[in-house]
Amino acid sequence: MSDTIERADRYDAQAVEAKWRERWERDDLYRVDDDAPGEKWYSLTMYPYPSGVLHVGHWYAFAVPDVYARLQKMRGYNVLFPMGYDAFGLPAENAAIRNRIHPASWTFDNIRVMRDQLRSMGAMIDWSREVITCTPEYYHWNQWLFLRMLERGLAYKSKGQVWWCPKDQTVLANEQVLDGNICERCGSEVFKRDLEQWYFKITAYAEELLRDAEGLDWPERVKVMQRNWIGRSEGARLTFMLESGDGLEVFTTRPDTLWGATFMVLAPEHPLVEKITTAEHRAEVEAYVEQARTQTEIERQSTDAAKEKTGVFTGAYAINPVTDERIPVWIADYVLMTYGTGAIMAVPSGDQRDFEFARKFDLPIRVVVQPEGEPALDPATMEVAYAGDGVLVNSGPFDGKRVPEALPEIIQWIEASGRGKAEVQYRLRDWLISRQRYWGTPIPVTYCDTCGMQPVPDEQLPVRLPLDAEFTPTGQSPLVTHAEFLNTTCASCGGPARRETDTMDTFVDSSWYWFRYTSPQYTEGPFDPSTAAMWAPVDLYCGGIEHAILHLLYARFFTKVCRDLGLIDHGEPFLRLRNQGMILSEEGTKMSKSRGTQVAPDELVKIHGADTLRLHLMYLGPWEQGGPWNSRGLQGMERFLRRAWTVVTESLGNRRDGAVPESEILQLRRLTHKTIERVTRDLDGFQFNTMVAALIEFVNELMRLKDTPIAQTAMWHEAVETLVLLMAPSTPYVAEELWERLGKGYSVHQQAWPTFDPAMTADALVEVVVQVNGKVRDHLMLPASADEPSAIAAARASEKVQAALDGAEPRKIIYVPGRLVNIVR
């Protein structure tokens, strides 16, 4: 293979890439030594689901972060850049039913294909650390962590209302239910049902999850999404006594409006609804409850003005604890059982939804906050609720006080009078992890008629999935009918017991997998604490914005749990987070396999080479934004590589002692150092598209100079060697080949990243555009250090500018340092 390349005068991507891929694998070039010198750097890309084939979106997600990992390696860091597979999940199980193949066979066949595709990418992956989450060696530790959480009350079983897909025979998260109550995965209509489910108590860490996010180097958009999902609210918990004798608890962030509560609203699912509903209203209430079950929480929370308010009176009444008024109790779908207490005190003068509800059902409205400096609000003529600041009225002992300043005093009064207490609540709900599926981690508990629920002892882990499971078109988990799996012995009394047949949500797998990469063969625990202490937390984590809430929040939760278990000494998993955009079809729509718009990289690699594809993906646009696929751009990147190849290979026999003016040497040196600065700065800023542009401009200039006398100088050879080093992270194959041809030591990926001299990168002169009334009138070359007065003076001295002004005195002059003087007549 090497001889073939040496005989060729032109760049042959296939030959070059095959040669170096074989060499790197033979030499184990990318195997990471925990004890290697250099500060550690842990770069990680969110691992893929083994769907069977990589598309260009995968390349966009994996190849581009590989560039930064390579940069850090050349900077002297000991870099860990591992890969694995998120291998449990519903698609494998559905494929098993559809194709009559075991999920394990389908999954591992796909992994073999994807592993080869990832190798072709040229990424510096240490394959000795590969993690596959569906293996017993991995899910053993899911079960171990579950048991530790069970011991600490962080795992528990509770009855709850959940979305159920009758086709997939499993519970769905709210996020998996589309408009119209459609299953996101299979398209079936879904409904709600009550089931005993397993939960993780993520709410125990709500305050810490909220607080610690502020110090992370993450996109602000992600932090805001998590902040809103956690949803911290300060207020008071109050009890309204029902005439039935039951206490109805509500949480409010506006206890100052308590005197304006004129009715109560319960969520249709509230456990008191059935008890308090009178016979007269029962049929209507039951019908409404059933109708509410068919709606998603997103639909129920809609603030769309066109959405008609609906509700039903229960026939029951409550007593307002501060006014002693008898107020009616309704049910309505805009109140959720999953938020607060599932009941609200309705203050129609201060809440728009309550206001619209009161107007529709002719319920009383009482103003309790009057805006200052404006006409007094009149309940009879109000068109919208007023939720702003103001002065309290109709509020008993607090009339005349300002809000929000009076809130602490009101809460203190509520507590002192026994009417309620101060409280902080969160929108965040505990994580439902139960799935009625086969292809997932078995939950390690058993049920004994004598002893009840019992954890599986550690020495009996892992509880293995049976590989002889039979799948039926009904979609029911085969664990339910698998006698050998189902029937076991109680660890407490030794009598007969039944295993739990639910499996864990696959988000459990991805909530700690980066720790496993640090010691994938470790058998004494989920990971070796000593190696985890060396590598974790992850320095740079890359992935899609779609994981902003669930995966990233669960990963943060698990990290804090592992810290509290004494396994690690830190509480955040990922110090830096960067999100890539989405690669769209050439038409600008989401790529789709069924519509034939998905682009497969394998053929592109065969035709153009992996390095070309890597460059093309980087050059499409800002990495965090993504953009439409453009197949024509591949030729441009291939042309760039051929030109770089020409610059290097045609310089191999050049002299180093050519006589050229020192000014030309200086000019090439400045260009080289400015290119190092640009490429380094853009890589650090994840501005890969402008980094590629800098390389292209450098090669274009070298092509222009390659047949001039300067190409026979030592500075020329320095520039050419610098070019290859700067290309190495982005185009690892061709850079390795060119480095060898330059006679340099193996490997280019073990060389030091070039540095620049700031004195060489400062422009002696800069071009300043001069505009008059927005039209360009002149271009001036000014010292880069020129201040505003001197730049304006030079602009006004221009003959072209004077002609445009025609004797008029400028009304305004705007100066953009080093770039623009804009004169307004």
Side-chain angles (χ1 to χ4, degrees), residues 28 44 50 74 105 127 161 190 229 296 399 496 721 733 756 758:
D28 245 348
L44 186 62
M74 295 179 72
S105 300
W127 288 103
Q161 195 173 80
V190 300
W229 189 262
T296 67
D399 278 354
E721 290 171 13
Y733 290 115
F756 61 89

Side-chain angles (χ1 to χ4, degrees), residues 171-467:
V171 166
L172 301 176
N174 287 329
E175 295 76 18
Q176 295 171 306
V177 180
L178 305 178
D179 290 345
N181 304 330
I182 300 300
C183 175
E184 179 187 51
R185 292 189 178 277
C186 70
S188 300
E189 186 173 358
V190 300
F191 58 89
K192 285 189 174 178
R193 61 183 292 190
D194 292 324
L195 286 177
E196 286 278 337
Q197 302 282 288
W198 282 99
Y199 294 84
F200 281 154
K201 198 172 181 59
I202 190 173
T203 53
Y205 289 85
E207 186 64 32
E208 194 177 348
L209 288 166
L210 194 64
R211 182 192 68 226
D212 292 354
E214 297 307 311
L216 297 173
D217 181 5
W218 287 22
E220 186 59 27
R221 178 185 174 192
V222 174
K223 291 198 281 189
V224 168
M225 291 170 74
Q226 290 208 358
R227 195 179 304 134
N228 292 340
W229 189 262
I230 295 168
R232 188 181 194 275
S233 300
E234 294 185 12
R237 179 181 286 262
L238 304 154
T239 300
F240 285 67
M241 294 306 298
L242 296 164
E243 292 179 335
S244 63
D246 295 288
L248 183 57
E249 292 195 331
V250 301
F251 171 80
T252 177
T253 59
R254 294 292 305 270
D256 55 303
T257 64
L258 184 55
W259 286 262
T262 57
F263 59 98
M264 307 285 293
V265 184
L266 305 187
E269 308 86 359
H270 197 290
L272 281 177
V273 170
E274 184 177 358
K275 180 178 181 180
I276 68 173
T277 299
T278 62
E280 178 187 358
H281 296 275
R282 186 165 302 281
E284 192 178 7
V285 166
E286 288 177 350
Y288 190 85
V289 169
E290 285 305 310
Q291 180 240 327
R293 283 178 178 268
T294 66
Q295 295 180 278
T296 67
E297 289 192 2
I298 294 172
E299 291 170 333
R300 287 171 58 175
Q301 288 182 295
S302 173
T303 56
D304 186 352
K307 185 179 185 293
E308 184 181 5
K309 291 291 179 288
T310 63
V312 177
F313 178 42
T314 65
Y317 289 85
I319 304 301
N320 185 317
V322 297
T323 66
D324 291 329
E325 289 178 291
R326 186 172 180 259
I327 59 177
V329 180
W330 289 63
I331 63 170
D333 60 8
Y334 74 89
V335 179
L336 303 177
M337 195 64 218
T338 55
Y339 186 69
T341 65
I344 66 164
M345 60 175 211
V347 183
S349 64
D351 182 277
Q352 187 61 26
R353 292 181 304 175
D354 296 347
F355 179 85
E356 293 170 5
F357 194 89
R359 281 284 189 249
K360 177 169 181 179
F361 295 105
D362 197 24
L363 294 164
I365 298 174
R366 180 182 300 122
V367 173
V368 288
V369 179
Q370 286 284 5
E372 295 182 277
E374 297 181 23
L377 298 174
D378 183 352
T381 59
M382 288 176 68
E383 296 183 356
V384 294
Y386 177 71
D389 301 339
V391 176
L392 290 172
V393 295
N394 301 317
S395 299
F398 296 100
D399 278 354
K401 296 201 179 269
R402 292 193 77 262
V403 287
E405 290 85 350
L407 270 171
E409 183 184 354
I410 293 170
I411 292 175
Q412 187 178 22
W413 178 83
I414 287 171
E415 288 191 312
S417 61
R419 290 173 168 87
K421 60 180 181 179
E423 186 168 292
V424 174
Q425 283 207 352
Y426 300 90
R427 180 179 179 272
L428 180 68
R429 288 294 168 260
D430 284 339
W431 174 10
L432 189 159
I433 68 160
S434 287
R435 295 296 181 267
Q436 290 68 41
R437 306 302 304 173
Y438 163 79
W439 196 233
T441 298
I443 293 176
V445 299
T446 61
Y447 300 94
C448 171
D449 290 339
T450 302
C451 306
M453 188 275 291
Q454 293 292 312
V456 174
D458 286 359
E459 59 270 19
Q460 294 181 19
L461 300 181
V463 176
R464 292 175 179 262
L465 285 173
L467 294 179

